Amino acid sequence: MYLPLPTPREMAAWDKRSMDDFHLRPELLMENASREAFSQIKSRFSDLSGRTALIFAGSGNNGGDAFALARHLWNSGVKVMTLHSKRLKEYDGATGYHLSVLRKLEIPYAHLSEYNFDFIKDVDIIVDGLLGTGFTGELSQDCVRWIKAINKVGARAYVISLDIPSGINGITGEPSPVAVKADDTVAFEEAKLGLMQPEAREYVGCLSIKKIGIPQKIKEDSPPKHYVLDIDILNRLEMPRRTMHKGEGGHVLVLGGSQALSGAAVLTCLGSLRAGAGLVTLACPADLARHIRCGWPEIMTIPLGEGFHWRREMFSQIKDELTRFDAVVVGPGMGRDDDTRAFFSAYLEDVHPRTLFDADALYFLAGDDSLMNRLSGSSEVVLTPHPGEMSRFFGVSAAQINQDRSRYVQEFSAKYNLNLVLKGASTLIAGVDQHFYISPFATPNLAVGGSGDVLSGIIGSLMAQNMRTLDAASLGVYWHGLAGKDLEKIYPCRGNLAREIADALPGVLARYRGGKHEDKVFFFC
């Protein structure tokens, strides 16, 4: 459901403890890694015999993995050339050991700085073992040249990266300034944080996680701060009983809509209904409610006041009714004028304990810390900003938020101690448990007006079904992303509507829930 997503430093600490406390030899861990990478290569080729391979081996542990993998390929009849970045005498430890085995087998090798790539015409397999997850900073000129050579030859070959594509920062996912473009990336033991960042997507190819023998006790004793959402989270939704009634599906109240923005509130209601809510009620100004009731019979309405505008006194009409709702979504299409602010402020004086704040509600919260202080520490409340809405909390631009999404999410979490969903490619979720969760999805089919309103409705529905708010946010984000990914098949160049994201929800749940997935393969392909 939540797969560990260690930083390079956290992974290095796991490796060290495996060797220090459990006496697992690094040569063994490299051997395990190479066998898992070899298994991935075999899954891509019906027959390896007679194939050709270029192995790029760096100076660190990735180089040792590459040396060991060269041996497995050689033993399977592959014509191998191993290219090493350091002089042979400079390799020592576990990496030196696997190099020595390769040399005893008389597998061809050459120093990278002396190899002429101009003579390469065709090769079947390229193994990228140049740089590991611990790489930071800017690439050397030699590394830039080697990576460009891999990408040039790799345009006509199958490229597999060991643990991470060389040149990708293991935390930010950014190329530095270039990176290997892999067809497959095999992450050893767990995926690393940088692999899940949207900047890394065009380089990673298909990402799979392969275990290499790190004891589970080590990961339990020293858990990482970041996790990636896994398809198993869909199993958090229980199958409905045949005798269930609508009250068991939860009742969602949506406070939103205004004369020019009624669609946002309707889409939120649709998201809730498609995500299984038994009842959805929209409370909005009276004249707006009449229009919505005519077009959407599935959505119940509570007309507030008169006309199309919010007023503070409207809250008295629903204050005593809040307890009959299982969750509340506040903000979609509500508007931002002073009278609406007054209504919103009145709601915060008697806020429903399971409330999702989105859209215009976030506009009011970001502009007034006294309002945020009323919510701080509420464990069942969640905020769902997009980068533009998030930027108002920090007084920066949306572009700055996107450049360092993880940092801003962590700062927000530390300051307000609230559940947060920062929408966008690889949506980030911060829990009041001080852990951070990342969606594996980055799909342009979700980049459409109203998509976020649908997401708010999904999460609100799951909250109303008595799911813990953090789990509801995580499941909602994953389900929403999966629907967007599914729509790529129908609309590969986009063009889908936000309502179609909502409509896709039941179908994708039926297709993917409860499936068997022995290897955790993410939808990066």
Side-chain angles (χ1 to χ4, degrees):
M1 189 168 76
Y2 298 118
L3 297 180
L5 198 59
T7 63
R9 179 175 293 182
E10 289 168 335
M11 187 68 219
W14 289 354
D15 283 339
K16 187 175 187 303
R17 193 176 166 203
S18 295
M19 292 179 274
D20 292 349
D21 296 354
F22 290 84
H23 306 294
L24 292 176
R25 296 185 62 84
E27 293 89 345
L28 174 62
L29 297 178
M30 286 181 184
E31 179 68 12
N32 291 347
S34 68
R35 285 186 174 277
E36 293 296 347
F38 178 61
S39 175
Q40 185 65 25
I41 294 172
K42 285 198 300 182
S43 73
R44 296 295 190 183
F45 293 89
S46 57
D47 184 12
L48 284 172
S49 181
R51 299 281 186 177
T52 56
L54 273 180
I55 314 293
F56 288 76
S59 58
N61 288 343
N62 258 36
D65 299 335
F67 289 141
L69 177 54
R71 170 166 45 86
H72 297 310
L73 290 169
W74 180 264
N75 288 338
S76 295
V78 178
K79 299 173 183 177
V80 174
M81 170 58 76
T82 304
L83 305 175
H84 50 91
S85 65
K86 286 202 307 186
R87 296 292 175 182
L88 295 179
K89 63 182 180 181
E90 295 175 332
Y91 284 101
D92 56 13
T95 301
Y97 165 78
H98 283 289
L99 171 61
S100 69
V101 176
L102 179 146
R103 295 180 70 185
K104 287 178 181 177
L105 290 172
E106 298 182 349
I107 299 173
Y109 57 86
H111 194 273
L112 265 166
S113 63
E114 299 169 355
Y115 194 78
N116 190 340
F117 294 99
D118 293 335
F119 290 106
I120 299 175
K121 291 185 178 180
D122 292 301
V123 64
D124 297 310
I125 301 164
I126 295 176
V127 174
D128 163 33
L130 275 177
L131 299 170
T133 58
F135 165 75
T136 58
E138 291 292 311
L139 292 165
S140 68
Q141 289 185 349
D142 280 341
C143 279
V144 169
R145 182 165 56 87
W146 297 334
I147 288 173
K148 287 182 176 179
I150 290 174
N151 288 338
K152 182 179 178 180
V153 179
R156 306 182 305 276
Y158 164 77
V159 181
I160 182 170
S161 287
L162 306 182
D163 219 15
I164 194 169
S166 293
I168 292 295
N169 184 294
I171 295 177
T172 68
E174 294 177 338
S176 307
V178 298
V180 169
K181 291 188 175 181
D183 296 299
D184 271 326
T185 297
V186 179
F188 299 133
E189 195 60 38
E190 304 292 355
K192 314 311 180 292
L193 178 59
L195 292 172
M196 292 297 163
Q197 305 294 355
E199 292 81 3
R201 294 303 170 84
E202 66 177 289
Y203 302 95
V204 170
C206 293
L207 173 64
S208 57
I209 299 172
K210 304 288 187 176
K211 302 300 182 181
I212 61 170
I214 302 294
Q216 185 64 24
K217 177 175 173 50
I218 292 175
K219 294 186 279 187
E220 291 171 353
D221 290 346
S222 304
K225 287 200 114 179
H226 295 83
Y227 293 81
V228 64
L229 305 180
D230 172 48
I231 197 167
D232 289 341
I233 198 171
L234 296 178
N235 295 326
R236 291 284 297 172
L237 271 178
E238 296 182 2
M239 292 296 291
R241 294 185 302 106
R242 294 192 178 277
T243 57
M244 78 171 289
H245 57 80
K246 61 189 176 185
E248 294 176 354
H251 193 169
V252 178
L253 172 66
V254 177
L255 297 174
S258 57
Q259 188 169 15
L261 299 167
S262 60
V266 168
L267 286 169
T268 298
C269 294
L270 288 178
S272 286
L273 288 167
R274 288 299 193 188
L279 297 164
V280 177
T281 297
L282 172 62
C284 59
D287 284 357
L288 184 65
R290 279 190 281 274
H291 286 288
I292 290 173
R293 192 163 52 233
C294 292
W296 301 96
E298 303 92 343
I299 302 172
M300 297 185 294
T301 59
I302 298 178
L304 301 177
E306 297 179 354
F308 287 98
H309 302 287
W310 294 89
R311 299 283 187 272
R312 181 183 177 90
E313 57 269 22
M314 290 177 177
F315 182 62
S316 62
Q317 293 181 240
I318 59 170
K319 179 179 178 179
D320 294 336
E321 292 192 64
L322 285 178
T323 54
R324 71 184 179 94
F325 299 102
D326 299 296
V328 181
V329 178
V330 183
M334 183 176 263
R336 299 179 178 181
D337 60 40
D338 289 341
D339 287 333
T340 306
R341 181 191 297 271
F343 173 89
F344 180 70
S345 181
Y347 177 77
L348 290 187
E349 291 170 5
D350 199 9
V351 63
H352 190 288
R354 295 175 69 78
T355 298
L356 182 151
F357 294 96
D358 189 29
D360 296 324
L362 299 172
Y363 176 85
F364 297 132
L365 289 170
D368 190 342
D369 253 4
S370 67
L371 297 181
M372 283 296 291
N373 290 336
R374 299 184 196 178
L375 300 176
S376 185
S378 302
S379 62
E380 296 302 320
V381 162
V382 61
L383 281 66
T384 59
H386 57 56
E389 292 159 343
M390 185 73 160
S391 69
R392 297 192 72 249
F393 286 93
F394 293 94
V396 299
S397 68
Q400 287 173 286
I401 294 292
N402 273 330
Q403 286 169 4
D404 205 350
R405 290 164 59 87
S406 294
R407 179 172 71 84
Y408 283 111
V409 165
Q410 291 182 43
E411 288 184 13
F412 183 98
S413 182
K415 183 176 181 180
Y416 297 114
N417 192 28
L418 292 167
N419 296 303
L420 176 76
V421 175
L422 177 57
K423 295 178 287 195
S426 300
T427 292
L428 274 166
I429 302 161
V432 292
D433 61 359
Q434 298 301 305
H435 285 97
F436 305 93
Y437 307 87
I438 299 179
S439 167
F441 299 108
T443 170
N445 292 71
L446 295 179
V448 56
S451 175
D453 301 310
V454 172
L455 175 61
S456 294
I458 298 169
I459 297 173
S461 175
L462 297 172
M463 291 168 65
Q465 293 172 53
N466 205 31
M467 189 173 289
R468 189 173 68 115
T469 297
L470 179 59
D471 288 341
S474 300
L475 173 54
V477 165
Y478 192 93
W479 195 359
H480 181 258
L482 194 60
K485 195 69 181 177
D486 211 56
L487 285 168
E488 280 187 5
K489 301 170 187 175
I490 307 170
Y491 303 100
C493 298
R494 299 178 67 246
N496 57 282
L497 305 177
R499 74 181 70 168
E500 291 176 301
I501 300 171
D503 292 342
L505 294 170
V508 297
L509 181 65
R511 281 194 292 279
Y512 292 105
R513 185 186 181 279
K516 295 183 182 294
H517 305 275
E518 294 180 2
D519 290 328
K520 301 301 181 183
V521 179
F522 297 92
F523 297 87
F524 284 16
C525 302

